[in-house]
Amino acid sequence: MGWAAAALGSGALVGGHAPARAVPRLSPDAPLTRVYYIAADTVIWDYAPQARSLISGKSFTTEESVLARPGLNRLGSVFHKSQYREYTDATFTKLARRPGESYMGLLGPVIRAHVGDTIRVVFKNNTPFKASMHPHGVFYTTSDEGATVNDGTTDSVRDGGIVDPGKTHTYVWQVPERAGPGPNDPSSIGWLYHDHSVMMGVPGTNAGLVGPMVVTRRCSAGHCTAPKDVDREVFALFTQFDENISPYLEQNTDRFGGGQEIDPTDTTFLTSNRKPCVNGYLFGNGPAGTTDSRPAITIDRDTRVRWYCIGLGGARDTHTPHWHGNTVLVRGHRTDVVTVLPATVVTADMRPDNPGTWLFHCHIDEHMMSGMVSRYLVR
C-alpha cells in the first residue's frame, strides 16, 4: 500500500511502499519526494516597522527619512507587495509555522532537499498578476521551468509553468548530483527561486517574489534535511526592491500617498521608492520584537553557523555583505566580506567567538547609507 511520512519541518515527505502491518523508519539519507504547498500572496509590508534607525538608535535623519518615512511626494515604508508563503496542505487555508525564521522577512520559505530527492511544489497564485516559481540549480523540464521562452517548437512562446491569478500549478524538480555541493563545497549549498513570469522576472521580483533553497550532500543531512554538521542556518537577502517597477505601483500610490497628487516622474519619488534592504528591512529594523538590545538575528557563541547570502536585482545590485566582529570561511578562504551578484548565493560558515551586537551590512557606501544594514547578536 502507498504511504506518506509525516512532515519534517518544511515539506511533507513522500516515500515508496511498505507492508500494511508496519511503517518503516526513514533513513535521513533515503531519496524522497519532498512536497511543498506554496502560494504567492499579496501582503502589506513595512520596511521599517520600528519607525526609527536601530543602527543609530535615533530617529531617522533627513536623508534616511526619504527612504523610510512618508512625506512630500513620497510614500514612506509601507507597501503592497507579493510574498511566497508556505501552507500546510493543498487547500491553502492554513499557513505553515515558521519557527525561528521571522527575521527572514520577505523571503519565501526555505525549500530543502538532498541529492537524489525530488521536489514537488504545489503552487497557487493568490496575487492579481501572473506569477511563477523558477528554481536555480535543480533539474526541471520545460513545463516546470517557471518561465516563458520561444523554443522553436510552436508558433507562440511556450508557457513553462506561468500561473494566472487564482490558478495552481505543480512543479516537479529533480535534485541530481550536479545540484548538490561540489568537491570544495561544505555539506550544503544555497540556491534560490524567484518569479520569472514576465520580462525575465521583472516586475514580480521587485514585488517581493524570491525565496531560498538548500541542497545537502547525501549522507550529510540530519533532521529536516538540514546539514547535520551545522547548528544554525541564517538566510540574508541583499537587494534593492524598486517599487517604481512593482506591479503594485498604482495601488501603492493611491493607498499610501496621503491624498497627494503624486508625480511619478519626480526624482524624489523615484529615489524614495528604491529600497536597499536586508530581507526587506531598512536601517536595522526587523520583525516584531526587534529592539535596540535585541537585533533581528541572534546566534550563539561557539556554535556552527552557516550563512546563505543571497543576491537579486538589477544593475545596482552588486553587494558586499560584511560581518563586524567575526569571520567566515568560504570554500576554505577566511574573510569577513563576501560578494553577491544578482541571482547568486554565497554559502559562508562562521564559528562566532566574539560576543556582542555587531553590524551586518553591505560595504558599498551608498547602499549602507541608504538602509542596507542590519545587526546580529552573538550571545
Side-chain angles (χ1 to χ4, degrees):
M1 60 178 287
W3 59 276
L8 295 178
S10 295
L13 310 181
V14 179
H17 295 275
R21 64 180 179 274
V23 176
R25 295 185 64 184
L26 295 177
S27 163
D29 301 311
L32 296 166
T33 295
R34 304 188 183 270
V35 182
Y36 293 81
Y37 304 96
I38 296 175
D41 292 334
T42 297
V43 299
I44 302 295
W45 183 255
D46 192 342
Y47 287 97
Q50 279 73 46
R52 59 193 182 89
S53 173
L54 271 69
I55 303 304
S56 67
K58 301 177 182 179
S59 299
F60 293 121
T61 65
T62 300
E63 293 76 14
E64 293 168 345
S65 293
V66 171
L67 289 154
R69 301 296 296 164
L72 181 62
N73 217 49
R74 63 178 193 257
L75 305 181
S77 65
V78 182
F79 290 80
H80 291 277
K81 296 192 75 65
S82 297
Q83 184 180 24
Y84 292 123
R85 301 200 293 183
E86 186 179 2
Y87 287 78
T88 58
D89 56 40
T91 65
F92 291 96
T93 55
K94 183 179 180 181
L95 286 169
R97 293 180 64 248
R98 204 174 182 181
E101 296 183 359
S102 61
Y103 76 94
M104 289 175 60
L106 265 175
L107 273 172
V110 183
I111 294 178
R112 297 183 179 276
H114 64 202
V115 171
D117 285 349
T118 298
I119 299 169
R120 184 171 178 262
V121 180
V122 183
F123 173 65
K124 184 177 182 182
N125 181 10
N126 288 328
T127 77
F129 317 103
K130 289 181 181 292
S132 72
M133 291 180 66
H134 169 66
H136 284 229
V138 295
F139 186 91
Y140 44 79
T141 64
T142 54
S143 61
D144 291 328
E145 184 179 2
T148 57
V149 66
N150 174 17
D151 60 4
T153 60
T154 63
D155 293 333
S156 60
V157 174
R158 173 177 52 75
D159 185 346
I162 307 302
V163 182
D164 289 325
K167 302 298 184 181
T168 61
H169 178 85
T170 299
Y171 298 100
V172 179
W173 306 325
Q174 305 297 325
V175 187
E177 189 73 29
R178 55 93 156 162
N184 297 321
D185 285 320
S187 57
S188 66
I189 57 172
W191 299 98
L192 73 159
Y193 61 92
H194 59 85
D195 178 71
H196 217 312
S197 61
V198 181
M199 295 176 58
M200 304 305 287
V202 179
T205 53
N206 280 282
L209 292 179
V210 55
M213 295 197 303
V214 172
V215 176
T216 304
R217 183 181 288 118
R218 181 175 293 284
C219 300
S220 295
H223 184 62
C224 305
T225 75
K228 59 187 176 184
D229 59 348
V230 172
D231 299 309
R232 171 77 191 279
E233 295 171 290
V234 181
F235 300 85
L237 171 67
F238 286 74
T239 191
Q240 178 176 255
F241 287 114
D242 191 344
E243 299 294 345
N244 298 300
I245 52 179
S246 165
Y248 296 99
L249 176 61
E250 183 176 350
Q251 186 176 356
N252 284 326
T253 302
D254 290 344
R255 179 165 180 179
F256 303 116
Q260 302 179 70
E261 288 292 330
I262 296 289
D263 177 5
T265 67
D266 179 75
T267 301
T268 298
F269 181 76
L270 294 171
T271 300
S272 70
N273 277 344
R274 300 187 183 110
K275 311 291 188 181
C277 55
V278 182
N279 288 353
Y281 295 116
L282 292 165
F283 300 110
N285 279 239
T290 302
T291 65
D292 295 90
S293 60
R294 183 181 177 183
I297 301 170
T298 299
I299 58 179
D300 291 325
R301 182 181 180 181
D302 199 32
T303 56
R304 301 165 299 179
V305 182
R306 182 158 294 163
W307 298 73
Y308 302 95
C309 296
I310 304 167
L312 194 66
R316 299 180 180 90
D317 283 293
T318 296
H319 302 299
T320 54
H322 168 47
W323 294 265
H324 284 215
N326 292 275
T327 63
V328 295
L329 280 172
V330 180
R331 291 183 291 275
H333 173 67
R334 180 77 65 183
T335 184
D336 62 3
V337 181
V338 298
T339 301
V340 291
L341 300 173
T344 65
V345 182
V346 174
T347 305
D349 282 346
M350 174 186 288
R351 194 83 180 221
D353 60 358
N354 196 356
T357 297
W358 302 105
L359 289 174
F360 177 47
H361 64 90
C362 179
H363 220 303
I364 295 174
D365 292 348
E366 295 86 348
H367 298 168
M368 176 174 56
M369 300 304 291
S370 298
M372 190 173 279
V373 53
S374 188
R375 302 174 302 152
Y376 72 103
L377 171 65
V378 178
R379 59 188 179 185

